[in-house]
Amino acid sequence: MKRTLLVPTLTMTVFLASCGTEPTENQTAVPVVEEEEESTTEQTSDRWEATEAGTEVSHIHGAGFWTDGRPVIATHTGLMEFREDGWYELSSNRHDYMGFELVADGFYASGHPAQDSPYKNPLGVVRGTEKGETLEIRSLEGEADFHYMSVGYETESIYVYLEQATKELAPGFYRSLDGGVSFEPMKMDGIEGRGIAGITADASEPKRVFVYGPDGILVSDDGGDTFEPFNDHGNIVTMATAKGQLAYVAKTGTSFDLVVSDLTDETETSVDLPSMNGDNVPIELVMEAERLLLVTSDNSVYVFEDEEWTQLLKAGKVN
């Protein structure tokens, strides 16, 4: 379930949405790279276990498509991927990932380590490869839990909102152009008087980043120092980017509209959303070529391909 954060900052209002979790106890310090056996295709397959029918999935903190096309979600207890015969979960590295974002050959995340993990709590910035079997801590282990993190799929530029101060960083918006090793503040000029519900990195332009909320979408081409309006299509609740494309969900009254925008020719196409009950709110949106992945606030998961929606997970319950 998403929570709402209200942070007054000068003349702007920040109310980024994220999942709340109970933190685990700090872990003992160890080397920052978790060693794994050399991975092969067979070993990777063996580490994924079929999820039992009736399993309840809660707190989906991110989603995407692996390079093999399979949908993946980050949950309170690690990673799950969808195959033709149902859901599977990774038996290792069962961390409570937050801010989970796929990149071309892996993912970035933050969050809290599993109870039996050698990592410190919180995780800081984690870089995952081999579908999450191998992890590397990039920075801020034991200091930062980034609930609000977006990463460019091709560029690996990272844009975050830091809620709680670390030893060196005050709360606020930051960017990292070196894969999460270091962070520098974003000036955020041009957002005064506007509400911010989320932040989204461009997939292929390293210094392009979007912020969105009840006043539409703003875009920056200088790494978040200055912003200008991209559109004013009302209350934007979530958005996603792919190379040359952008998609967003806008709320009008009690209904939601999904729009896909081609950034090259500036055309927009409406896509009918799947049927959802009135309590559902879209919270995660991912796009890849002609496919979309949608997660809603009741932990339902839908995939859009071949011009139709298929529900992969209904209200968090595995069939």
Side-chain angles (χ1 to χ4, degrees):
M1 180 175 292
K2 291 267 174 167
R3 64 183 173 84
T4 299
L5 170 69
L6 181 61
V7 181
T9 307
L10 298 177
T11 57
M12 74 171 177
T13 302
V14 179
F15 43 102
L16 302 168
S18 176
C19 287
T21 60
E22 294 297 326
T24 57
E25 295 297 323
N26 283 357
Q27 309 293 329
T28 303
V30 296
V32 297
V33 178
E34 186 176 36
E35 296 294 337
E36 298 284 349
E37 295 180 1
E38 186 176 353
S39 185
T40 66
T41 302
E42 183 177 355
Q43 289 171 335
T44 300
S45 176
D46 288 344
R47 289 179 182 264
W48 290 86
E49 301 173 347
T51 306
E52 294 184 5
T55 298
E56 296 283 348
V57 179
S58 64
H59 301 295
I60 298 176
H61 303 150
F65 295 101
W66 292 128
T67 54
D68 63 11
R70 290 173 177 164
V72 57
I73 56 176
T75 77
H76 194 61
T77 55
L79 301 181
M80 297 177 64
E81 71 173 24
F82 188 81
R83 303 180 182 181
E84 290 183 358
D85 59 343
W87 286 99
Y88 283 71
E89 50 199 305
L90 184 63
S91 60
S92 62
N93 290 325
R94 297 179 63 87
H95 308 302
D96 179 14
Y97 292 116
M98 308 294 289
F100 177 84
E101 289 275 284
L102 285 183
V103 292
D105 66 342
F107 65 85
Y108 285 85
S110 190
H112 305 284
Q115 291 286 353
D116 60 352
S117 170
Y119 291 119
K120 295 179 183 178
N121 180 44
L123 289 171
V125 179
V126 176
R127 176 70 157 83
T129 53
E130 297 178 298
K131 284 192 169 184
E133 287 193 45
T134 301
L135 300 178
E136 176 192 355
I137 300 290
R138 287 294 172 88
S139 65
L140 298 170
E141 183 187 10
E143 294 190 63
D145 173 21
F146 291 112
H147 290 201
Y148 320 106
M149 178 162 67
S150 186
V151 187
Y153 184 82
E154 297 179 4
T155 68
E156 300 193 26
S157 295
I158 302 175
Y159 295 90
V160 301
Y161 180 77
L162 178 65
E163 297 177 79
Q164 297 182 343
T166 69
K167 294 176 183 178
E168 298 182 357
L169 303 178
F173 289 92
Y174 291 87
R175 63 176 172 255
S176 174
L177 303 180
D178 58 9
V181 175
S182 64
F183 286 87
E184 57 185 357
M186 298 158 61
K187 294 180 181 179
M188 305 297 288
D189 292 341
I191 66 170
E192 295 81 4
R194 293 177 178 265
I196 298 178
I199 186 167
T200 301
D202 188 85
S204 56
E205 296 293 334
K207 286 196 171 183
R208 178 175 293 171
V209 59
F210 302 86
V211 293
Y212 60 89
D215 303 305
I217 300 173
L218 300 175
V219 62
S220 170
D221 286 315
D222 57 10
D225 286 338
T226 59
F227 284 86
E228 61 184 24
F230 176 81
N231 71 31
D232 58 355
H233 291 185
N235 185 8
I236 309 300
V237 298
T238 187
M239 65 173 289
T241 64
K243 186 172 183 178
Q245 292 180 298
L246 179 150
Y248 60 89
V249 177
K251 183 179 181 182
T252 304
T254 58
S255 65
F256 297 93
D257 300 304
L258 172 57
V259 176
V260 176
S261 177
D262 188 313
L263 300 180
T264 303
D265 59 17
E266 299 184 350
T267 59
E268 292 193 334
T269 304
S270 295
V271 177
D272 290 335
L273 283 165
S275 177
M276 298 180 289
N277 65 51
D279 296 329
N280 261 353
V281 178
I283 59 173
E284 298 281 353
L285 181 65
V286 179
M287 64 187 314
E288 177 199 67
E290 302 300 318
R291 296 202 299 167
L292 298 168
L293 193 64
L294 179 71
V295 180
T296 61
S297 57
D298 72 343
N299 296 302
S300 291
V301 178
Y302 306 83
V303 64
F304 180 79
E305 56 187 332
D306 298 327
E307 302 299 319
E308 65 179 9
W309 290 96
T310 301
Q311 188 166 22
L312 307 182
L313 189 64
K314 185 176 181 180
K317 190 171 183 178
V318 176
N319 294 325

